Amino acid sequence: MEVELVQTTLLKPSGTIPAKWIAKIGDTQMVHIRYWEMDPKTARWKTITTTANYCPIHHILYLPSDYPQGCPDCALSNGN
């Protein structure tokens, strides 16, 4: 069975990173994603599969570990 993964972007403090949207987790505003990060020790790309938060207002993905206060764009628009 072949599954088509949707190309999206993940917002990190260092900028945006291309990611693949794997699956939505019910009505939780969370999704499974896959992205690639350079390993500084080996200088090779490593695949990271994790759960990210999705903001339906701004249509962005972000990691709760990077933005514990929630969507960074919502925080900016609220003056935080």
Side-chain angles (χ1 to χ4, degrees):
M1 180 175 167
E2 195 170 314
V3 177
E4 184 176 332
L5 303 177
V6 178
Q7 183 72 33
T8 186
T9 55
L10 171 67
L11 184 61
K12 299 277 284 176
S14 59
T16 57
I17 298 174
K20 297 282 186 171
W21 178 308
I22 299 171
K24 182 178 177 184
I25 304 173
D27 293 333
T28 63
Q29 300 300 329
M30 299 185 81
V31 297
H32 289 297
I33 62 166
R34 181 178 300 140
Y35 67 97
W36 295 263
E37 192 173 81
M38 177 69 75
D39 185 347
K41 293 179 183 177
T42 63
R44 292 182 180 209
W45 290 99
K46 63 180 180 177
T47 303
I48 300 171
T49 303
T50 189
T51 302
N53 288 354
Y54 173 71
C55 176
I57 297 168
H58 295 103
H59 306 287
I60 61 169
L61 297 172
Y62 60 93
L63 298 177
S65 58
D66 291 336
Y67 300 101
Q69 74 280 8
C71 173
D73 286 356
C74 287
L76 285 176
S77 64
N78 291 334
N80 296 336

Coordinates of all heavy atoms in Angstrom, one line a residue:
M1 N 0.8 -1.2 0.0 CA 0.0 0.0 0.0 C 0.9 1.2 0.0 O 1.8 1.4 0.8 CB -0.9 0.0 1.2 CG -1.8 1.2 1.3 SD -2.9 0.9 2.8 CE -3.5 2.5 2.9
E2 N 0.7 2.1 -0.9 CA 1.5 3.3 -1.1 C 0.7 4.5 -0.4 O -0.5 4.7 -0.7 CB 1.8 3.6 -2.5 CG 2.9 4.6 -2.7 CD 3.3 4.7 -4.2 OE1 3.4 3.6 -4.8 OE2 3.4 5.8 -4.7
V3 N 1.4 5.3 0.4 CA 0.8 6.4 1.1 C 1.5 7.7 0.6 O 2.8 7.7 0.6 CB 0.9 6.3 2.6 CG1 0.4 7.5 3.3 CG2 0.2 5.0 3.1
E4 N 0.8 8.7 0.2 CA 1.4 9.9 -0.2 C 1.4 10.8 1.0 O 0.4 11.1 1.7 CB 0.5 10.6 -1.3 CG 1.2 11.8 -1.8 CD 0.4 12.4 -3.0 OE1 -0.3 11.7 -3.7 OE2 0.4 13.6 -3.1
L5 N 2.7 11.3 1.3 CA 2.8 12.2 2.4 C 2.8 13.7 1.9 O 3.3 14.0 0.9 CB 4.2 12.0 3.1 CG 4.4 10.5 3.6 CD1 5.8 10.4 4.2 CD2 3.4 10.1 4.6
V6 N 2.1 14.5 2.7 CA 1.9 15.9 2.3 C 3.1 16.7 2.7 O 3.5 16.7 3.9 CB 0.6 16.5 2.9 CG1 0.4 17.9 2.6 CG2 -0.6 15.6 2.5
Q7 N 3.7 17.5 1.8 CA 4.8 18.4 2.1 C 4.3 19.6 2.8 O 3.3 20.2 2.5 CB 5.4 18.8 0.8 CG 6.7 19.7 1.0 CD 7.9 18.9 1.5 OE1 8.0 17.8 1.1 NE2 8.7 19.6 2.3
T8 N 4.9 19.9 3.9 CA 4.6 21.1 4.7 C 5.9 21.7 5.3 O 6.9 21.3 5.0 CB 3.6 20.6 5.8 OG1 3.1 21.8 6.5 CG2 4.2 19.7 6.8
T9 N 5.7 22.6 6.2 CA 6.9 23.2 6.9 C 6.7 23.2 8.4 O 5.6 23.3 8.9 CB 7.2 24.6 6.4 OG1 6.0 25.4 6.6 CG2 7.6 24.7 5.0
L10 N 7.8 23.0 9.1 CA 7.8 23.0 10.5 C 8.5 24.3 11.0 O 9.6 24.6 10.5 CB 8.6 21.8 11.1 CG 8.9 21.8 12.5 CD1 7.6 21.6 13.3 CD2 9.8 20.6 12.8
L11 N 7.9 25.1 11.9 CA 8.5 26.3 12.4 C 9.4 26.0 13.6 O 8.9 25.4 14.5 CB 7.4 27.3 12.8 CG 7.9 28.7 13.2 CD1 8.6 29.4 12.1 CD2 6.7 29.5 13.7
K12 N 10.6 26.3 13.5 CA 11.6 26.1 14.5 C 12.2 27.5 14.9 O 12.1 28.5 14.1 CB 12.8 25.2 14.1 CG 12.4 23.8 13.7 CD 12.3 22.9 14.8 CE 13.7 22.5 15.3 NZ 13.6 21.7 16.5
P13 N 12.8 27.7 16.1 CA 13.4 29.0 16.4 C 14.4 29.5 15.4 O 14.6 30.7 15.2 CB 14.0 28.7 17.8 CG 13.2 27.6 18.4 CD 12.8 26.8 17.2
S14 N 15.1 28.5 14.7 CA 16.1 28.9 13.7 C 15.5 29.2 12.4 O 16.2 29.6 11.5 CB 17.1 27.7 13.6 OG 16.5 26.6 13.3
G15 N 14.2 28.9 12.2 CA 13.6 29.2 10.9 C 12.6 28.0 10.5 O 12.3 27.2 11.4
T16 N 12.2 28.0 9.3 CA 11.3 26.9 8.8 C 12.1 25.8 8.2 O 13.1 26.0 7.6 CB 10.3 27.4 7.8 OG1 11.0 28.0 6.7 CG2 9.4 28.5 8.4
I17 N 11.6 24.6 8.4 CA 12.2 23.3 7.9 C 11.2 22.6 7.1 O 10.0 22.4 7.6 CB 12.7 22.5 9.1 CG1 13.7 23.2 10.0 CG2 13.2 21.1 8.6 CD1 14.1 22.4 11.2
P18 N 11.5 22.1 5.9 CA 10.6 21.2 5.2 C 10.3 20.0 6.0 O 11.1 19.4 6.7 CB 11.3 20.9 3.9 CG 12.5 21.7 3.9 CD 12.8 22.2 5.2
A19 N 9.0 19.6 6.0 CA 8.6 18.4 6.7 C 7.5 17.7 5.9 O 6.9 18.2 5.0 CB 8.0 18.8 8.1
K20 N 7.3 16.4 6.3 CA 6.2 15.7 5.7 C 5.1 15.4 6.7 O 5.4 15.0 7.8 CB 6.7 14.3 5.1 CG 7.7 14.4 4.0 CD 7.1 14.7 2.7 CE 8.1 14.6 1.6 NZ 7.6 14.7 0.3
W21 N 3.9 15.7 6.4 CA 2.7 15.5 7.3 C 2.3 14.0 7.1 O 1.9 13.6 6.0 CB 1.6 16.4 6.9 CG 0.3 16.3 7.6 CD1 -0.4 15.2 7.8 CD2 -0.4 17.4 8.2 NE1 -1.6 15.5 8.5 CE2 -1.6 16.8 8.8 CE3 -0.2 18.7 8.3 CZ2 -2.5 17.6 9.4 CZ3 -1.1 19.5 8.9 CH2 -2.3 19.0 9.5
I22 N 2.5 13.2 8.2 CA 2.2 11.8 8.1 C 0.7 11.5 8.4 O 0.0 10.8 7.6 CB 3.1 11.0 9.0 CG1 4.6 11.2 8.6 CG2 2.8 9.5 9.0 CD1 5.6 10.6 9.5
A23 N 0.3 12.0 9.5 CA -1.1 11.7 10.0 C -1.6 12.7 11.0 O -0.8 13.1 11.8 CB -1.2 10.3 10.5
K24 N -2.9 12.9 11.0 CA -3.5 13.8 12.1 C -3.9 12.9 13.2 O -4.3 11.7 13.0 CB -4.8 14.4 11.5 CG -5.5 15.3 12.4 CD -6.7 16.0 11.7 CE -7.4 16.9 12.7 NZ -8.6 17.4 12.1
I25 N -3.8 13.4 14.4 CA -4.2 12.6 15.6 C -5.5 13.1 16.1 O -5.7 14.0 16.9 CB -3.1 12.8 16.7 CG1 -1.7 12.4 16.2 CG2 -3.5 11.9 18.0 CD1 -0.6 12.7 17.2
G26 N -6.6 12.5 15.6 CA -7.9 12.8 16.0 C -8.2 14.3 15.9 O -7.9 15.0 15.0
D27 N -8.9 14.8 17.0 CA -9.2 16.2 17.1 C -8.3 17.0 18.1 O -8.7 17.9 18.7 CB -10.7 16.4 17.5 CG -11.7 15.9 16.5 OD1 -11.3 15.9 15.3 OD2 -12.8 15.5 16.9
T28 N -7.1 16.5 18.2 CA -6.2 17.1 19.2 C -5.3 18.3 18.7 O -4.6 18.8 19.5 CB -5.2 16.0 19.7 OG1 -4.4 15.6 18.6 CG2 -5.9 14.8 20.3
Q29 N -5.4 18.7 17.5 CA -4.6 19.7 16.9 C -3.1 19.3 16.9 O -2.2 20.1 16.9 CB -4.7 21.0 17.6 CG -6.1 21.6 17.6 CD -6.7 21.9 16.2 OE1 -5.9 22.2 15.3 NE2 -7.9 21.8 16.1
M30 N -2.9 18.0 16.9 CA -1.5 17.4 16.8 C -1.4 16.5 15.6 O -2.4 15.9 15.2 CB -1.2 16.7 18.1 CG -1.2 17.6 19.3 SD -0.6 16.8 20.8 CE 1.1 16.9 20.6
V31 N -0.2 16.4 15.0 CA 0.0 15.6 13.8 C 1.3 14.9 14.0 O 2.2 15.4 14.6 CB 0.0 16.4 12.5 CG1 -1.4 17.1 12.3 CG2 1.0 17.5 12.5
H32 N 1.4 13.8 13.3 CA 2.7 13.1 13.2 C 3.4 13.7 12.0 O 2.8 13.8 10.9 CB 2.5 11.6 13.0 CG 2.0 10.9 14.2 ND1 2.7 10.8 15.4 CD2 0.9 10.2 14.4 CE1 2.1 10.1 16.2 NE2 0.9 9.7 15.7
I33 N 4.7 14.0 12.1 CA 5.4 14.5 11.0 C 6.8 13.9 10.9 O 7.2 13.2 11.9 CB 5.6 16.1 11.1 CG1 6.4 16.4 12.4 CG2 4.3 16.8 11.1 CD1 6.9 17.8 12.4
R34 N 7.4 14.1 9.8 CA 8.8 13.6 9.6 C 9.6 14.8 9.0 O 9.1 15.4 8.0 CB 8.8 12.4 8.6 CG 10.2 11.9 8.4 CD 10.2 10.6 7.5 NE 9.4 9.6 8.1 CZ 8.5 8.8 7.5 NH1 8.3 8.9 6.2 NH2 7.8 7.9 8.1
Y35 N 10.8 15.0 9.6 CA 11.6 16.1 9.0 C 13.1 15.6 9.1 O 13.4 14.6 9.7 CB 11.4 17.4 9.7 CG 11.8 17.5 11.1 CD1 13.0 18.1 11.5 CD2 11.0 17.1 12.1 CE1 13.4 18.2 12.8 CE2 11.3 17.3 13.5 CZ 12.5 17.8 13.8 OH 12.9 17.9 15.1
W36 N 14.0 16.4 8.5 CA 15.4 16.0 8.4 C 16.2 17.0 9.1 O 16.0 18.2 8.9 CB 15.8 15.8 7.0 CG 15.1 14.7 6.4 CD1 15.5 13.4 6.2 CD2 13.7 14.7 5.8 NE1 14.5 12.6 5.6 CE2 13.4 13.4 5.4 CE3 12.8 15.7 5.7 CZ2 12.2 13.1 4.8 CZ3 11.5 15.3 5.2 CH2 11.3 14.0 4.7
E37 N 17.2 16.6 9.8 CA 18.1 17.5 10.6 C 19.5 17.0 10.4 O 19.8 15.8 10.4 CB 17.7 17.4 12.0 CG 18.3 18.5 12.9 CD 17.8 18.5 14.3 OE1 18.2 17.6 15.1 OE2 16.8 19.2 14.6
M38 N 20.4 18.0 10.2 CA 21.9 17.6 10.0 C 22.5 17.3 11.4 O 22.4 18.0 12.3 CB 22.6 18.8 9.4 CG 24.1 18.6 9.3 SD 24.5 17.4 8.0 CE 24.2 18.4 6.5
D39 N 23.1 16.1 11.4 CA 23.8 15.6 12.6 C 25.2 16.3 12.6 O 26.0 16.0 11.7 CB 23.9 14.1 12.6 CG 24.5 13.6 13.9 OD1 25.1 14.3 14.7 OD2 24.4 12.4 14.1
P40 N 25.5 17.2 13.6 CA 26.8 17.9 13.6 C 28.0 16.9 13.7 O 29.1 17.3 13.3 CB 26.7 18.9 14.7 CG 25.6 18.4 15.6 CD 24.7 17.6 14.7
K41 N 27.8 15.8 14.4 CA 28.9 14.9 14.6 C 29.3 14.1 13.3 O 30.5 13.9 13.1 CB 28.5 13.9 15.7 CG 28.4 14.5 17.0 CD 28.0 13.5 18.1 CE 27.8 14.2 19.4 NZ 27.4 13.2 20.4
T42 N 28.3 13.7 12.5 CA 28.6 12.9 11.3 C 28.4 13.7 10.0 O 28.8 13.2 9.0 CB 27.6 11.7 11.3 OG1 26.3 12.2 11.1 CG2 27.7 10.8 12.5
A43 N 27.9 14.9 10.1 CA 27.6 15.7 8.9 C 26.7 15.0 7.9 O 26.8 15.2 6.7 CB 28.9 16.1 8.2
R44 N 25.8 14.2 8.5 CA 24.8 13.5 7.6 C 23.4 13.9 8.1 O 23.2 14.2 9.2 CB 24.9 12.0 7.8 CG 26.2 11.4 7.2 CD 26.3 10.0 7.3 NE 27.5 9.5 6.7 CZ 27.7 8.4 6.2 NH1 26.7 7.5 6.1 NH2 28.9 8.0 5.7
W45 N 22.5 13.8 7.2 CA 21.1 14.1 7.5 C 20.5 12.9 8.2 O 20.7 11.7 7.8 CB 20.3 14.3 6.2 CG 20.7 15.6 5.5 CD1 21.5 15.8 4.5 CD2 20.3 16.9 5.9 NE1 21.7 17.1 4.2 CE2 20.9 17.8 5.0 CE3 19.4 17.4 6.9 CZ2 20.7 19.2 5.1 CZ3 19.3 18.8 7.0 CH2 19.9 19.7 6.1
K46 N 19.8 13.2 9.3 CA 19.1 12.1 10.0 C 17.6 12.4 10.0 O 17.1 13.6 10.0 CB 19.5 12.0 11.4 CG 19.3 13.2 12.3 CD 19.8 12.9 13.7 CE 19.6 14.2 14.6 NZ 20.0 14.0 15.9
T47 N 16.8 11.4 9.9 CA 15.3 11.5 9.8 C 14.8 11.5 11.2 O 15.1 10.7 12.0 CB 14.7 10.4 9.0 OG1 15.3 10.3 7.7 CG2 13.2 10.5 8.9
I48 N 13.9 12.5 11.5 CA 13.2 12.6 12.8 C 11.7 12.5 12.5 O 11.2 13.2 11.8 CB 13.6 13.9 13.5 CG1 15.1 14.0 13.7 CG2 12.8 14.1 14.8 CD1 15.6 15.3 14.2
T49 N 11.1 11.6 13.2 CA 9.7 11.4 13.2 C 9.2 11.8 14.6 O 9.6 11.2 15.6 CB 9.2 10.0 12.8 OG1 9.8 9.6 11.6 CG2 7.7 9.8 12.7
T50 N 8.2 12.7 14.7 CA 7.8 13.2 15.9 C 6.3 13.7 15.8 O 5.7 13.6 14.8 CB 8.7 14.3 16.5 OG1 8.3 14.7 17.8 CG2 8.6 15.6 15.6
T51 N 5.8 14.2 16.9 CA 4.5 14.7 17.0 C 4.6 16.2 17.1 O 5.4 16.7 18.0 CB 3.7 14.2 18.2 OG1 3.6 12.7 18.1 CG2 2.3 14.7 18.2
A52 N 3.9 17.0 16.3 CA 4.0 18.4 16.3 C 2.5 19.0 16.5 O 1.6 18.3 16.3 CB 4.5 19.0 15.0
N53 N 2.5 20.2 17.0 CA 1.2 20.9 17.2 C 0.9 21.6 15.8 O 1.8 22.1 15.2 CB 1.3 21.9 18.3 CG 1.3 21.3 19.6 OD1 1.1 20.0 19.8 ND2 1.4 22.0 20.7
Y54 N -0.4 21.7 15.5 CA -0.9 22.4 14.3 C -1.8 23.6 14.8 O -2.7 23.4 15.6 CB -1.6 21.4 13.5 CG -2.3 22.1 12.3 CD1 -1.5 22.6 11.2 CD2 -3.7 22.3 12.2 CE1 -2.2 23.2 10.1 CE2 -4.3 22.9 11.2 CZ -3.5 23.3 10.1 OH -4.1 23.9 9.1
C55 N -1.5 24.7 14.3 CA -2.3 25.9 14.5 C -3.3 26.1 13.3 O -2.8 26.4 12.2 CB -1.5 27.2 14.7 SG -2.6 28.6 14.9
P56 N -4.6 25.8 13.5 CA -5.5 26.0 12.4 C -5.7 27.4 12.0 O -6.2 27.7 10.9 CB -6.8 25.3 12.9 CG -6.7 25.5 14.4 CD -5.2 25.4 14.7
I57 N -5.4 28.4 12.8 CA -5.6 29.8 12.5 C -4.5 30.2 11.5 O -4.7 30.9 10.5 CB -5.6 30.7 13.7 CG1 -6.8 30.3 14.6 CG2 -5.6 32.1 13.4 CD1 -6.7 30.9 16.0
H58 N -3.2 29.9 11.8 CA -2.1 30.3 11.0 C -1.5 29.2 10.1 O -0.6 29.5 9.3 CB -0.9 30.8 12.0 CG -1.3 32.0 12.7 ND1 -1.7 31.9 14.1 CD2 -1.5 33.3 12.4 CE1 -2.0 33.2 14.5 NE2 -1.9 34.0 13.5
H59 N -2.1 28.0 10.2 CA -1.7 26.9 9.3 C -0.2 26.6 9.4 O 0.5 26.5 8.4 CB -2.1 27.1 7.9 CG -3.6 27.4 7.8 ND1 -4.6 26.5 7.9 CD2 -4.2 28.6 7.5 CE1 -5.7 27.0 7.8 NE2 -5.6 28.3 7.6
I60 N 0.3 26.5 10.6 CA 1.7 26.2 10.8 C 1.9 25.0 11.8 O 1.0 24.8 12.6 CB 2.5 27.4 11.4 CG1 2.0 27.9 12.7 CG2 2.6 28.6 10.4 CD1 2.9 28.9 13.4
L61 N 3.0 24.4 11.7 CA 3.3 23.3 12.6 C 4.5 23.8 13.5 O 5.4 24.5 13.0 CB 3.8 22.0 11.8 CG 2.8 21.4 10.9 CD1 3.4 20.3 10.0 CD2 1.7 20.8 11.7
Y62 N 4.5 23.4 14.7 CA 5.5 23.7 15.7 C 5.6 22.7 16.7 O 4.7 22.0 17.0 CB 5.3 25.1 16.3 CG 4.0 25.2 17.1 CD1 4.0 25.0 18.4 CD2 2.8 25.5 16.5 CE1 2.8 25.0 19.2 CE2 1.6 25.5 17.2 CZ 1.6 25.3 18.5 OH 0.5 25.3 19.2
L63 N 6.8 22.6 17.3 CA 7.0 21.6 18.4 C 6.8 22.2 19.7 O 7.2 23.3 20.0 CB 8.5 21.1 18.3 CG 8.9 20.4 17.1 CD1 10.4 20.0 17.1 CD2 8.0 19.1 16.8
P64 N 6.0 21.5 20.6 CA 5.8 22.0 21.9 C 7.0 22.3 22.7 O 7.1 23.2 23.6 CB 4.9 21.0 22.6 CG 4.6 19.9 21.6 CD 5.4 20.2 20.4
S65 N 8.1 21.6 22.5 CA 9.4 21.8 23.2 C 10.0 23.1 22.7 O 10.7 23.7 23.5 CB 10.3 20.6 22.9 OG 10.6 20.5 21.5
D66 N 9.8 23.5 21.5 CA 10.3 24.8 21.0 C 9.4 26.0 21.4 O 9.9 27.1 21.7 CB 10.4 24.8 19.5 CG 11.5 23.9 19.0 OD1 12.4 23.6 19.7 OD2 11.4 23.4 17.8
Y67 N 8.1 25.8 21.5 CA 7.2 26.9 21.8 C 6.2 26.3 22.8 O 5.0 26.0 22.5 CB 6.4 27.3 20.5 CG 7.4 27.8 19.4 CD1 7.8 27.1 18.4 CD2 7.9 29.1 19.5 CE1 8.6 27.6 17.4 CE2 8.8 29.6 18.6 CZ 9.1 28.8 17.5 OH 10.0 29.3 16.6
P68 N 6.6 26.3 24.1 CA 5.7 25.7 25.1 C 4.5 26.6 25.4 O 3.5 26.1 25.9 CB 6.6 25.6 26.4 CG 7.7 26.5 26.1 CD 7.9 26.6 24.6
Q69 N 4.5 27.9 25.0 CA 3.4 28.8 25.2 C 2.4 28.6 24.1 O 1.3 29.3 24.2 CB 3.9 30.3 25.2 CG 4.3 30.9 23.9 CD 5.7 30.5 23.4 OE1 6.4 29.6 24.0 NE2 6.1 31.1 22.4
G70 N 2.6 27.8 23.1 CA 1.6 27.6 22.0 C 2.1 28.2 20.7 O 3.3 28.5 20.6
C71 N 1.2 28.4 19.8 CA 1.5 28.9 18.5 C 2.3 30.3 18.6 O 1.8 31.2 19.2 CB 0.2 29.1 17.7 SG 0.5 29.9 16.1
P72 N 3.5 30.3 18.0 CA 4.3 31.6 18.1 C 3.6 32.7 17.4 O 3.7 33.9 17.8 CB 5.6 31.2 17.5 CG 5.3 30.0 16.7 CD 4.2 29.3 17.3
D73 N 2.9 32.5 16.3 CA 2.2 33.5 15.5 C 1.0 34.1 16.4 O 0.7 35.3 16.3 CB 1.8 33.1 14.2 CG 2.9 33.0 13.2 OD1 4.1 33.3 13.6 OD2 2.7 32.5 12.1
C74 N 0.3 33.2 17.1 CA -0.8 33.6 18.0 C -0.2 34.5 19.1 O -0.8 35.5 19.4 CB -1.5 32.4 18.5 SG -2.6 31.6 17.4
A75 N 0.9 34.1 19.6 CA 1.6 34.8 20.7 C 2.0 36.2 20.2 O 1.8 37.2 20.9 CB 2.8 34.1 21.3
L76 N 2.5 36.3 19.0 CA 2.9 37.6 18.4 C 1.7 38.5 18.2 O 1.7 39.7 18.4 CB 3.7 37.4 17.1 CG 5.1 36.9 17.2 CD1 5.7 36.7 15.8 CD2 5.9 37.9 18.0
S77 N 0.6 37.9 17.7 CA -0.6 38.7 17.4 C -1.3 39.2 18.7 O -2.0 40.2 18.7 CB -1.6 38.0 16.5 OG -2.0 36.9 17.1
N78 N -1.0 38.5 19.8 CA -1.6 38.9 21.1 C -0.6 39.8 21.8 O -0.9 40.2 23.0 CB -1.9 37.7 22.0 CG -3.0 36.9 21.4 OD1 -3.9 37.4 20.7 ND2 -3.0 35.6 21.7
G79 N 0.5 40.1 21.3 CA 1.5 41.0 21.9 C 2.4 40.4 22.9 O 3.0 41.1 23.7
N80 N 2.5 39.1 22.9 CA 3.4 38.4 23.9 C 4.7 38.2 23.3 O 5.0 38.0 22.2 CB 2.8 37.0 24.3 CG 1.5 37.2 25.0 OD1 1.2 38.3 25.6 ND2 0.6 36.2 24.9

